[in-house]
Amino acid sequence: MNDWRIYRGAGQPHDGVRRLPEPPPWRDFTRGQDGAQAGSEDPGGARRLGVRRRRAENYAPRPAEVDAVNAALYLRRPLLVTGNPGTGKSTLAYAVAHELKLGRVLRWPIVSRTTLQDGLYRYDAIGRLQDVQLERARGAGGHGDDGGTGSDGDDGADRDRGIGAYIRLGPLGTALLPSELPRVLLIDELDKSDLDLPNDLLNTLEEGEFAIPELERVADRQPVVEVLAHDSGRIAVHGGRIACTSFPLIVLTSNGERDFPAPLLRRCVQLELEPPGEEQLTAMVEAHLGEEGVAAGQDLIGRFLDREPGEVMAADQLLNALFLTQHTPHAERLTRERIADLLMQRLDRSR
């Protein structure tokens, strides 16, 4: 089919969307619908490392990157990775988890409104109050005042009325659960946070533990309460406190848009990630698009590598251009070049 376009701008309704091909592997979200548990295949890792996983197996990190990861593992310190968008900061966390078989990566994306509480746990006090009122309205009052049993018995109604049903651990709180092996936690784009979050993290990162006051208040009556973890069902919390036994590998990423306070930097192993070179780019393209993708995209790979010094461009822009131009094999060369120009625009250009 010579016309690769689905939307033609003609204004006439048609069923062309039904011939839309499969999505790019890094945008295939059906892989995340299998309900995998913490130790199972990580769908997020598949999107970032490539469905063929050759990126993980052929991943060629620079010696400084390998040294920084090992330093963080040995010292039980967070790894602060700084670099331009698209240099593979987040991918590093998935590559380590894949190679060391540490299970699914816990991901905590940071926005301007994110607080430490979001990362540790959330308590749904309003939901609990509403459920207690509904129970009382049905003539079942008295079970919600002290949180119920929370962890006793197998009756679903009793568990639902327990305080533990209204507490869900966040990514950081889940990473600090006692475990034989460390979990991998990705705190993504910390530089997007407000000014307080980096300082708020200090004590938790230093001590490796935190308290849940709502459970501490009932610890004399309920020393063990089951709460919801971020990714792996119900977890027993003893005495209202969570303390790690294996400090997690915490990868904090930053695009370098702001400076961090010295107390945070002191607690981290710091790594400045350079843009990927030819070897890393080739492994990335092969992992997602196969050897044929590398062969067909040599011109675009060369164009990406030959950009002007200091020109910011993300590797996923290259992947997008390769994928789309390979789906227009019969289009005119001018059309393919126009597509590449559209998708491979420098990120630091003035608007």
Side-chain angles (χ1 to χ4, degrees), residues 34-41 104 231-233:
D34 56 3
Q37 297 300 313
S40 304
E41 185 75 4
R104 299 184 66 171
D231 71 339
S232 56

Side-chain angles (χ1 to χ4, degrees), residues 39-98:
S40 304
E41 185 75 4
D42 189 343
R47 290 199 302 272
R48 289 167 175 82
L49 296 175
V51 292
R52 297 171 175 84
R53 285 305 168 95
R54 290 177 184 165
R55 186 177 181 187
E57 295 163 6
N58 297 343
Y59 189 61
R62 298 175 178 89
E65 299 170 26
V66 176
D67 291 344
V69 170
N70 281 287
L73 287 169
Y74 271 83
L75 298 173
R76 277 70 170 179
R77 289 292 188 182
L79 176 62
L80 174 59
V81 185
T82 306
N84 290 329
T87 53
K89 301 184 296 294
S90 301
T91 300
L92 182 61
Y94 288 89
V96 175
H98 173 72

Side-chain angles (χ1 to χ4, degrees), residues 40-331:
S40 304
E41 185 75 4
D42 189 343
R47 290 199 302 272
R48 289 167 175 82
L49 296 175
V51 292
R52 297 171 175 84
R53 285 305 168 95
R54 290 177 184 165
R55 186 177 181 187
E57 295 163 6
N58 297 343
Y59 189 61
R62 298 175 178 89
E65 299 170 26
V66 176
D67 291 344
V69 170
N70 281 287
L73 287 169
Y74 271 83
L75 298 173
R76 277 70 170 179
R77 289 292 188 182
L79 176 62
L80 174 59
V81 185
T82 306
N84 290 329
T87 53
K89 301 184 296 294
S90 301
T91 300
L92 182 61
Y94 288 89
V96 175
H98 173 72
E99 180 174 327
L100 300 184
K101 298 192 290 187
L102 296 178
R104 299 184 66 171
V105 173
L106 296 162
R107 182 171 177 267
W108 184 17
I110 303 299
V111 298
S112 60
R113 300 178 302 279
T114 301
T115 66
L116 176 62
Q117 188 74 29
D118 298 323
L120 293 177
Y121 76 97
R122 302 299 295 180
Y123 171 50
D124 186 7
I126 295 177
R128 187 183 181 203
L129 177 61
Q130 290 174 337
D131 286 349
V132 168
Q133 291 174 337
L134 286 174
E135 288 293 328
R136 287 176 174 170
R138 296 190 185 109
H143 292 287
D145 292 339
D146 62 0
T149 59
S151 59
D152 296 334
D154 295 325
D155 182 70
D158 286 342
R159 288 198 302 270
D160 289 343
R161 285 193 294 271
I163 188 174
Y166 305 95
I167 294 176
R168 178 178 291 276
L169 300 181
L172 177 56
T174 301
L176 293 175
L177 287 169
S179 61
E180 180 182 0
L181 296 175
R183 294 295 301 270
V184 177
L185 169 65
L186 173 62
I187 303 181
D188 211 8
E189 299 193 335
L190 183 61
D191 51 337
K192 298 291 193 298
S193 72
D194 67 10
L195 295 176
D196 294 328
L197 182 59
N199 285 315
D200 292 345
L201 284 167
L202 297 179
N203 185 67
T204 303
L205 296 182
E206 184 68 27
E207 303 301 330
E209 65 177 5
F210 67 98
I212 302 178
E214 293 84 357
L215 298 186
E216 284 187 316
R217 286 196 293 268
V218 299
D220 56 336
R221 302 190 304 274
Q222 295 176 256
V224 180
V225 176
E226 288 188 347
V227 302
L228 301 171
H230 182 69
D231 71 339
S232 56
R234 291 180 177 271
I235 298 294
V237 176
H238 298 259
R241 298 189 67 84
I242 289 177
C244 69
T245 52
S246 294
F247 190 79
L249 175 62
I250 301 177
V251 179
L252 306 101
T253 71
S254 168
N255 292 323
E257 296 180 358
R258 60 178 282 196
D259 294 328
F260 294 117
L264 177 66
L265 298 179
R266 179 179 68 82
R267 289 168 169 83
C268 296
V269 176
Q270 300 178 54
L271 172 65
E272 180 74 28
L273 206 60
E274 298 295 329
E278 182 176 2
E279 184 179 3
Q280 292 171 310
L281 276 178
T282 301
M284 181 188 309
V285 174
E286 185 177 345
H288 289 292
L289 301 176
E291 295 179 356
E292 62 278 10
V294 176
Q298 284 298 323
D299 57 335
L300 293 181
I301 295 176
R303 173 177 168 178
F304 184 91
L305 291 170
D306 294 340
R307 65 192 185 278
E308 293 293 327
E311 182 177 332
V312 179
M313 192 178 296
D316 57 349
Q317 292 176 272
L318 172 63
L319 288 174
N320 290 335
L322 288 171
F323 178 84
L324 196 53
T325 55
Q326 289 177 27
H327 277 76
T328 59
H330 303 296

